[in-house]
Amino acid sequence: MLHHVRNLPFAVPFRFVILRELELRHFRNLGIQELRFPPEGVAVIGDNAQGKTNLLEAIYYLESFRSFRGAGDGELAAFPEDAFHLKGIVDGDGPATVSAGFDRRRRKKKVSVDGSETRRISAALGRLGAVVFSPSDVELVTGGPQVRRRFLDIVLSLDGNGYVESLSRYGRTLAQRNAALRANAGAQAVRAWDEELVSHGARVTHLRHEWISTWSGAFAAYCAAISGCDPVALAYRPDLGRGRVGPEDRRAEFGADEDEVGERFRERLRESWETDVRRGATTVGPHRDELLFTITSQGRPLAARTYGSGGQRRTAALALRLTEAAAIRRRRRAEPILLLDDAFAELDEGRSMRVMAMLREEGAGQVILTAPKESDARLRGPSLERWRIREGVVEA
């Protein structure tokens, strides 16, 4: 069943990234703890609402410096504390120490690598090489477009290709243009922001297109391997009024040429002027892009969000995470750390077994998984050390 992915180049393991130690200070309900992880990983067992997901959230925070659950930094410090702090020691090319914290009163985030505070947080992104699998991932398929844009933003920000800087500058310029529109500042004041918006927006669109173009085939292969049959396609639709880029329409290559994207964006800004003035906001651009999951029925592509079954939606979400892991594997030439938050809870037995077999076959990297009871910690069976968690306290 796994022949769909076995022969693809991203499935070749190279080396390992291992989380050795994790220090926690007032992150959610986890209190003050120091944990040492076995190289192969660990299964954390505990009832619901005891802090299992919080632990994985803390680990992933050291990868992306944001919550994978969409929480703001100010929500992550335990009440009544004003700040939290995390420190992880990671072995990859060599040992590295990544630290992060947030002071709620000062609204200040601090990130450091090997004891030196980074001037730009983007310089420290992706040091763990971790990917999270969670039942809530189905929201990537069923949720609104902003959920899927957020996924793309996180994945591309970790690639170290300048995406996070382009996205940040685009966001700031968009805010300035929108402020001028709301203030009825006039055409000259509003359009003064257009060239900067086009420059950064074209880069964002181009890099999104490039990622989807590179990985849409792998995504489809993962879907087929998980489900055994269901064809699901991944497509990118830039909000610039032209075509889709994805496996269902290989003729639509808009996005591959950054200059062409910029010209089309400039044109769409001119076309949308009256609408923008009426609404007091910029109505075209990458902030309105869509990532599409499509299924094929009677030869027609249909949105999985609307027409897909529960199994197809969960399959697509899992396949997207596996694709993310494959991208990390290629970028870092290392097996990613897998953070599995009761990831198979809502899968049927067949899909669950295929996913577990795939994870075992593709790599032997570190796995940190959570489960409500011992029998649910099935990946790698008894070889993973068992920890218990209760009221935020981990018993190793």
Side-chain angles (χ1 to χ4, degrees):
M1 192 65 66
L2 302 183
H3 69 277
H4 297 279
V5 295
R6 185 179 292 139
N7 297 321
L8 293 177
F10 57 79
V12 179
F14 304 97
R15 56 185 177 80
F16 305 104
V17 180
I18 303 296
L19 176 63
R20 296 289 185 187
E21 299 179 21
L22 177 67
E23 291 185 13
L24 301 150
R25 296 289 185 273
H26 307 303
F27 186 91
R28 295 224 187 241
N29 75 330
L30 298 174
I32 300 176
Q33 300 183 71
E34 297 183 11
L35 305 174
R36 289 175 172 80
F37 291 86
E40 66 276 11
V42 66
V44 182
I45 313 298
D47 293 335
N48 292 333
Q50 298 303 304
K52 301 190 301 297
T53 302
N54 294 345
L55 179 61
L56 298 188
E57 185 180 28
I59 296 170
Y60 193 75
Y61 193 91
L62 292 174
E63 168 81 350
S64 66
F65 308 116
R66 65 174 80 184
S67 164
F68 72 78
R69 300 151 90 179
D73 290 326
E75 301 173 63
L76 301 178
F79 183 80
E81 302 294 333
D82 290 318
F84 71 83
H85 182 77
L86 302 167
K87 182 171 80 171
I89 298 177
V90 184
D91 279 350
D93 296 318
T97 300
V98 183
S99 300
F102 182 77
D103 187 313
R104 192 157 43 195
R105 287 181 301 177
R106 299 168 59 199
R107 300 184 63 82
K108 179 175 176 59
K109 183 184 295 189
K110 181 179 179 180
V111 172
S112 64
V113 177
D114 293 331
S116 299
E117 185 174 356
T118 58
R119 294 179 60 187
R120 294 181 297 109
I121 290 177
S122 60
L125 289 167
R127 294 301 177 109
L128 267 67
V131 59
V132 181
F133 295 76
S134 167
S136 64
D137 286 343
V138 73
E139 283 290 310
L140 291 168
V141 182
T142 62
Q146 71 278 7
V147 177
R148 291 177 284 282
R149 286 194 296 270
R150 184 175 184 272
F151 167 82
L152 272 180
D153 290 342
I154 291 174
V155 169
L156 285 163
S157 293
L158 298 175
D159 270 354
N161 55 9
Y163 178 85
V164 68
E165 288 84 4
S166 294
L167 181 68
S168 178
R169 291 178 181 179
Y170 177 81
R172 290 197 296 269
T173 307
L174 179 66
Q176 295 281 5
R177 190 178 194 270
N178 286 343
L181 282 165
R182 288 193 301 271
N184 294 316
Q188 186 174 358
V190 173
R191 288 175 169 164
W193 298 104
D194 284 9
E195 281 307 307
E196 189 173 353
L197 195 72
V198 165
S199 173
H200 301 308
R203 184 64 178 163
V204 169
T205 296
H206 171 69
L207 290 174
R208 286 175 177 176
H209 164 268
E210 191 173 62
W211 196 89
I212 296 300
S213 180
T214 299
W215 293 106
S216 58
F219 170 83
Y222 279 125
C223 280
I226 294 169
S227 67
C229 61
D230 291 342
V232 184
L234 181 65
Y236 172 49
R237 185 176 66 194
D239 184 61
L240 294 174
R242 183 182 301 182
R244 297 176 180 179
V245 175
E248 79 286 358
D249 187 359
R250 288 295 181 185
R251 297 169 300 171
E253 285 300 315
F254 180 66
D257 186 294
E258 195 171 335
D259 290 337
E260 181 190 356
V261 174
E263 185 53 43
R264 180 56 179 156
F265 193 4
R266 206 173 281 112
E267 180 184 344
R268 290 289 288 122
L269 285 172
R270 290 193 294 267
E271 293 171 351
S272 67
W273 172 249
E274 291 185 3
T275 302
D276 290 358
V277 170
R278 186 171 65 253
R279 296 186 181 179
T282 305
T283 57
V284 298
H287 60 290
R288 295 173 61 89
D289 284 356
E290 176 64 293
L291 185 63
L292 301 172
F293 298 92
T294 57
I295 58 174
T296 301
S297 177
Q298 298 179 346
R300 296 176 55 216
L302 301 172
R305 178 186 181 188
T306 305
Y307 296 99
S309 68
Q312 286 172 320
R313 294 169 183 171
R314 285 188 285 272
T315 292
L318 264 171
L320 194 63
R321 290 302 187 193
L322 287 165
T323 304
E324 179 185 357
I328 292 172
R329 188 179 291 115
R330 175 180 287 181
R331 171 171 55 86
R332 299 198 56 166
R333 298 185 66 82
E335 291 294 342
I337 299 171
L338 301 182
L339 307 177
L340 307 178
D341 186 24
D342 202 11
F344 311 131
E346 297 182 13
L347 286 181
D348 60 62
E349 188 66 20
R351 293 174 199 253
S352 179
M353 295 302 293
R354 284 189 287 269
V355 171
M356 287 190 289
M358 194 183 310
L359 290 172
R360 283 193 295 267
E361 180 171 307
E362 286 213 342
Q366 189 177 39
V367 173
I368 302 171
L369 66 83
T370 68
K373 53 184 184 293
E374 182 83 23
S375 61
D376 292 330
R378 293 172 288 174
L379 188 66
R380 297 195 187 163
S383 67
L384 283 184
E385 185 175 324
R386 264 52 172 173
W387 292 357
R388 299 293 188 277
I389 186 169
R390 183 176 181 182
E391 296 181 351
V393 178
V394 177
E395 298 176 2

